[in-house]
Amino acid sequence: MSIKAIARELYRARQQVEQLEKQLAAAEFSQQEAIKGKLRTARAEYEQLRRMLNGRKAC
């Protein structure tokens, strides 16, 4: 995967994390656990993409 494609996916993942954080802040207590699970997954994807991009830039 090219650096440009990774950067694009990283941006998309960051937008998803921010959207879920906003949803969590506005959610009712009964919905928070489901959103927290999605947020945990989105953050893991973001961190993985960030590490990939940093690894590509180092080469």
Side-chain angles (χ1 to χ4, degrees), residues 1 6-7 10-11 14 16 18 24 26 30 34 41 43-44 46-48 54-56:
M1 191 181 281
I6 296 171
L10 182 65
Y11 177 77
R14 183 66 202 155
Q16 180 70 23
E18 289 175 0
L24 181 62
S30 61
T41 302
R43 282 182 177 156
Y46 172 77
E47 288 300 320
Q48 181 181 12
N54 287 340
R56 288 287 182 137

Side-chain angles (χ1 to χ4, degrees), residues 4-57:
K4 188 175 181 180
I6 296 171
R8 195 175 311 127
E9 285 298 310
L10 182 65
Y11 177 77
R12 182 200 55 77
R14 183 66 202 155
Q15 294 295 333
Q16 180 70 23
V17 167
E18 289 175 0
Q19 179 186 21
L20 287 167
E21 287 172 341
K22 288 177 185 176
Q23 285 180 6
L24 181 62
E28 296 179 12
F29 183 73
S30 61
Q31 298 173 336
Q32 287 183 355
E33 286 305 314
I35 295 172
K36 283 180 183 178
K38 291 178 185 177
L39 182 57
R40 199 171 11 260
T41 302
R43 282 182 177 156
E45 180 184 357
Y46 172 77
E47 288 300 320
Q48 181 181 12
L49 288 165
R50 189 179 59 78
R51 286 191 301 269
M52 284 174 59
L53 184 62
N54 287 340
R56 288 287 182 137
K57 289 192 312 190

